[in-house]
C-alpha cells in the first residue's frame, strides 16, 4: 500500500534553533499535503495545507513565519519550525493526498522536544 | 469552535461492555472517515462512510453516517483491551481535511 514517511521521527533541540521536518510520499504523487500538530491526549489540529508549487494555506492562529512550509515537489513537503521554543514541543504529523486515488495517507509523526 | 465535535471526550469501560462514540457537525460532508490512533503513531483509517444513512460494519465496530451527512457514530460491541486508543472522526468540507476533537477510549481487562 501507499506509504508516507517522515524524517526525523524524533528530534530534540535547544530553544532558539530551527528544525526541519520532511514528509515524503514514497510511491505516489501528492499534489496536496497536510501538516498537523498534536498535544498529548488531544486530537490532530490542522496547521496548514501544502500545495505543490504554490504557497501553503495556513489555518487561523498558525504563524506562517514561524512554521515555514515548502512543497517543492510532488513527493516532498517540509515543515521548518523557526526559532523553536519549549511551547513548540509537540507531535507533528503530515499526510499526503494521492490525487490519483483521492485517498489520504498519514506519516508516522515526528516528536519534537525543545529544551 | 471545532468543525467536528466528538463525544464523549474520554471513556473508560470494562472489557465486554458496549459503547458508542458520536461525531457531530453543523456542516454537511460528502464523506466522513473514522481513524484510530495509538500513542506516538499516526492515525490509521478504519472506515469511510459516504452515503447518508449508510451503515458499515468492521468486526465488532459499527459505523453509521447520519441521513443529513452532518454526523456519524461508532458503536463497539463487547469491547476488548485491544480496542484502547484514540478514536477520531475526520472529513473535508473543502480542500482542507479536519479531525474531530477525539475520543480517548480505555478498556479495562
Amino acid at each position: 500500500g501507499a506509504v508516507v514517511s517522515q524524517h526525523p521521527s524524533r528530534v530534540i533541540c535547544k530553544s532558539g534553533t530551527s528544525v526541519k521536518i520532511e514528509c515524503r510520499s514514497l510511491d505516489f504523487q501528492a499534489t496536496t499535503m497536510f501538516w498537523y500538530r498534536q498535544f498529548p491526549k488531544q486530537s490532530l489540529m490542522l496547521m496548514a495545507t501544502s500545495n505543490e508549487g504554490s504557497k501553503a494555506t495556513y489555518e487561523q492562529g498558525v504563524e506562517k513565519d514561524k512554521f515555514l512550509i515548502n512543497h517543492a515537489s510532488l513527493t516532498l513537503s517540509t515543515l521548518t519550525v523557526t526559532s523553536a521554543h519549549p511551547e513548540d514541543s509537540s507531535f507533528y504529523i503530515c499526510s499526503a493526498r494521492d490525487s490519483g486515488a483521492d485517498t489520504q495517507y498519514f506519516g508516522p509523526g515526528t516528536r519534537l522536544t525543545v529544551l | 469552535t471545532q468543525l467536528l465535535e466528538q463525544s464523549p471526550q474520554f471513556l473508560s469501560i470494562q472489557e465486554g461492555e458496549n459503547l458508542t462514540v458520536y461525531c457531530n457537525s453543523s456542516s454537511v460532508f460528502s464523506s466522513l472517515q473514522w481513524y484510530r490512533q495509538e500513542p506516538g503513531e499516526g492515525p490509521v483509517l478504519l472506515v469511510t462512510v459516504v452515503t447518508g444513512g449508510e451503515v458499515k460494519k468492521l468486526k465488532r465496530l459499527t459505523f453509521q453516517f447520519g441521513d443529513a451527512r452532518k454526523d456519524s457514530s461508532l458503536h463497539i460491541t463487547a469491547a476488548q483491551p485491544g480496542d484502547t486508543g484514540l478514536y477520531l472522526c475526520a472529513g473535508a468540507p473543502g480542500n482542507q481535511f479536519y479531525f474531530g476533537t477525539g475520543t480517548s477510549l480505555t478498556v479495562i481487562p
Side-chain angles (χ1 to χ4, degrees), chain A residues 89-105:
Chain A
S89 298
S90 188
F91 193 51
Y92 292 86
I93 300 175
C94 73
S95 71
R97 178 178 284 166
D98 183 343
S99 47
D102 195 24
T103 306
Q104 188 162 258
Y105 301 94

Side-chain angles (χ1 to χ4, degrees), chain A residues 32 34 36 38 41-46 48-49 51 57 59 91 93 95 97 102-109 111, chain B residues 2 6 9-10 33 35 37 39-43 45 86 88-89 92 94-102 104 106:
Chain A
T32 303
F34 303 94
Y36 298 87
Q38 184 177 34
K41 297 286 189 180
Q42 294 186 23
S43 184
L44 285 74
M45 296 299 296
L46 180 64
T49 303
N51 297 297
T57 302
E59 294 298 302
F91 193 51
I93 300 175
S95 71
R97 178 178 284 166
D102 195 24
T103 306
Q104 188 162 258
Y105 301 94
F106 286 85
R111 172 73 60 191
Chain B
Q2 290 275 62
Q6 286 182 237
Q9 184 179 1
F10 297 98
Q33 298 182 330
Y35 291 81
Q37 186 185 25
E41 298 180 8
L45 178 65
L86 180 65
L88 301 158
C89 63
N95 192 45
Q96 286 78 13
F97 190 78
Y98 296 101
F99 281 89
T101 48
S104 180
T106 302

Side-chain angles (χ1 to χ4, degrees), chain A residues 15-111:
Chain A
S15 185
T17 60
S18 294
V19 175
K20 180 185 284 188
I21 303 171
E22 293 185 349
C23 177
R24 291 181 186 275
S25 58
L26 299 185
D27 52 4
F28 65 95
Q29 294 186 332
T31 53
T32 303
M33 289 185 174
F34 303 94
W35 285 95
Y36 298 87
R37 179 171 169 174
Q38 184 177 34
F39 293 107
K41 297 286 189 180
Q42 294 186 23
S43 184
L44 285 74
M45 296 299 296
L46 180 64
M47 299 174 67
T49 303
S50 169
N51 297 297
E52 187 267 338
S54 63
K55 291 184 179 180
T57 302
Y58 289 81
E59 294 298 302
Q60 190 172 9
V62 179
E63 299 176 56
K64 59 181 66 176
D65 294 331
K66 180 167 182 62
F67 298 100
L68 301 178
I69 292 173
N70 186 354
H71 192 160
S73 78
L74 288 172
T75 59
L76 173 64
S77 177
T78 61
L79 167 67
T80 301
V81 183
T82 62
S83 187
H85 292 284
E87 57 266 30
D88 297 324
S89 298
S90 188
F91 193 51
Y92 292 86
I93 300 175
C94 73
S95 71
R97 178 178 284 166
D98 183 343
S99 47
D102 195 24
T103 306
Q104 188 162 258
Y105 301 94
F106 286 85
T110 297
R111 172 73 60 191

Side-chain angles (χ1 to χ4, degrees), chain B residues 42-96:
Chain B
V44 175
L45 178 65
L46 297 174
V47 78
T48 300
V49 285
V50 178
T51 307
E54 180 179 9
V55 176
K56 281 191 173 179
K57 291 194 174 184
L58 186 65
K59 297 183 180 178
R60 292 177 293 101
L61 279 60
T62 301
F63 304 85
Q64 186 162 7
F65 200 11
D67 291 340
R69 292 184 286 123
K70 292 183 178 182
D71 56 87
S72 182
S73 65
L74 157 61
H75 182 79
I76 301 179
T77 304
Q80 298 177 2
D83 295 328
T84 294
L86 180 65
Y87 289 83
L88 301 158
C89 63
N95 192 45
Q96 286 78 13

